[in-house]
Amino acid sequence: MDNQTIGLNHIAIAVTDMDAALVFYRDVLGLHLDRIEEVEAEKSKVAFLPLGNSEIELVQPTANDTGVAKWLTKHGPGMHHIAIQVPDIVAVMARLKSHEVELINFEPRQKTDGTLYAFIHPRSAFGVLIELYQKAE
Ligand code: ZN
């Protein structure tokens, strides 16, 4: 999927036990495990399982004070968010703001690889936490 295409970048599933989650998603369901990364900035361990043009991310917090950790305490393991790739995150966010959509991040945040992202509150998205995602050029 090129940078100009709108599409599903990933689905994030919050887990408390990565090994147990991999037994299901990799070994039983049969998905391919591409890699596992420690994401220091988000205090989490993430397993990437490609799925067509997108991927499933299994996210296990490595600290108790993260958003995902708190969400897990409240909800238990489950689908945490979907990430929609857009070609121009700034333009999309401006449109959302003009429609008074509730954003969690008012400005895009940047990953170390240059990817820009921002979250839309589930209250504005019919119960789904949506991550907007713009890949680096
Ligand atoms: Zn995500």
Side-chain angles (χ1 to χ4, degrees):
M1 191 160 49
D2 69 51
N3 294 349
Q4 296 306 310
T5 307
I6 295 178
L8 179 65
N9 184 274
H10 62 269
I11 295 171
I13 297 171
V15 302
T16 50
D17 183 339
M18 181 67 80
D19 293 334
L22 285 172
V23 166
F24 173 73
Y25 282 99
R26 180 191 54 201
D27 304 338
V28 180
L29 188 57
L31 301 185
H32 168 70
L33 172 63
D34 183 57
R35 67 196 187 280
I36 297 178
E37 284 180 13
E38 296 274 350
V39 185
E40 290 291 335
E42 288 163 38
K43 296 180 192 171
S44 60
K45 188 161 78 168
V46 183
F48 296 88
L49 302 119
L51 203 63
N53 285 331
S54 63
E55 58 192 359
I56 285 181
E57 294 184 5
L58 303 175
V59 181
Q60 181 185 331
T62 53
N64 291 326
D65 60 345
T66 71
V68 175
K70 289 172 190 161
W71 187 91
L72 272 167
T73 303
K74 198 171 164 187
H75 300 272
M79 204 194 80
H80 183 260
H81 66 268
I82 65 172
I84 295 173
Q85 181 183 307
V86 297
D88 185 349
I89 193 170
V90 172
V92 174
M93 289 177 74
R95 189 168 66 239
L96 294 169
K97 286 174 188 172
S98 77
H99 285 81
E100 293 173 3
V101 167
E102 191 174 347
L103 300 172
I104 292 172
N105 310 108
F106 291 95
E107 302 298 334
R109 302 183 69 182
Q110 192 162 26
K111 294 183 196 279
T112 48
D113 69 356
T115 298
L116 299 173
Y117 67 101
F119 285 92
I120 303 170
H121 199 286
R123 272 195 291 268
S124 285
F126 297 84
V128 179
L129 177 60
I130 294 179
E131 180 180 17
L132 296 170
Y133 207 85
Q134 182 186 340
K135 283 190 188 167
E137 293 300 313

